[in-house]
Amino acid sequence: SEISTCLGVKQDVPITSILSKSGLSEYREPRLPTPDITMEFPDPRNVKAILERMKALDRFVHMEASTRGNLVFKVQTEVVSMRTFFSGLDVQQSKSNDDENENDDAMSVRTSNSFRSTRRVSVQLNIKEVLNVLQFASLHSEKVLLCVVKDQAMVLYADLQNSLGSLTYYLPVCTALD
């Protein structure tokens, strides 16, 4: 018997033109340095529900990830402060230069929550943009990986259900002037 899979995609931006293969070369993924922290992302449905509540308090959410497997979402105003903590998340350790010579993969498959020293990376993000990403990731993904590049971006890699492929979401970091 044959199994068919259907995946519906709703697009927020209207398609104004279809690019040819030669035109696609102009659109490339952003060039980012190696992430400061790469870790498992909690269930996107749970994070989405939490950020929906935080959205009523502020436009921005501060996200802090640590090499101990902790992830914190925080909204703080003059009147109120709200934080949500996730702990025990698997963290992928970046390879050392010696390891990279043996294998071309950018990240090691080794995971650990007990690095010698704890590093933390904090970024400020637009809550609405994060919610837009989580809307799709929460419905159609089996596993989501979070990469944080300090002062530049948050990147989510979502493996789609039924081995349909993967999606990569790039969210720029917001500055105090945004």
Side-chain angles (χ1 to χ4, degrees):
S1 72
E2 184 177 320
I3 298 174
S4 66
T5 304
C6 180
L7 176 66
V9 176
K10 182 178 179 182
Q11 185 168 326
D12 291 336
V13 181
I15 297 174
T16 56
S17 64
I18 298 177
L19 298 175
S20 64
K21 283 187 179 182
S22 60
L24 285 176
S25 64
E26 296 176 24
Y27 295 92
R28 295 188 183 119
E29 291 184 36
R31 290 186 178 260
L32 293 171
T34 302
D36 295 292
I37 294 181
T38 301
M39 67 189 322
E40 167 190 14
F41 193 74
D43 184 341
R45 292 172 294 213
N46 294 338
V47 176
K48 184 175 181 283
I50 291 162
L51 292 181
E52 285 287 353
R53 291 182 187 145
M54 289 181 168
K55 181 177 76 170
L57 303 174
D58 198 3
R59 294 177 24 199
F60 302 106
V61 62
H62 297 272
M63 183 188 72
E64 181 181 281
S66 80
T67 54
R68 295 269 184 209
N70 298 321
L71 184 62
V72 179
F73 291 95
K74 176 178 81 170
V75 170
Q76 187 166 349
T77 67
E78 293 177 13
V79 180
V80 68
S81 177
M82 180 179 178
R83 293 180 188 189
T84 299
F85 299 86
F86 295 92
S87 61
L89 302 172
D90 286 333
V91 176
Q92 289 192 345
Q93 183 178 4
S94 295
K95 287 187 171 185
S96 68
N97 291 336
D98 295 337
D99 291 340
E100 286 184 21
N101 294 334
E102 295 175 16
N103 192 339
D104 291 337
D105 293 337
M107 300 303 294
S108 170
V109 295
R110 296 171 296 186
T111 59
S112 173
N113 288 334
S114 58
F115 291 101
R116 289 185 192 127
S117 63
T118 301
R119 283 193 345 247
R120 290 182 174 86
V121 178
S122 182
V123 294
Q124 178 175 267
L125 304 163
N126 181 307
I127 289 181
K128 288 183 181 179
E129 291 177 2
V130 178
L131 286 170
N132 284 339
V133 167
L134 294 178
Q135 182 173 346
F136 189 83
S138 65
L139 296 175
H140 304 290
S141 61
E142 289 180 356
K143 182 179 180 182
V144 180
L145 192 64
L146 167 69
C147 297
V148 183
V149 181
K150 185 177 182 177
D151 298 328
Q152 292 189 40
M154 175 183 97
V155 182
L156 287 178
Y157 296 99
D159 287 334
L160 299 177
Q161 294 173 349
N162 301 321
S163 300
L164 289 175
S166 64
L167 293 173
T168 305
Y169 301 97
Y170 295 91
L171 290 175
V173 171
C174 297
T175 63
L177 301 175
D178 288 339

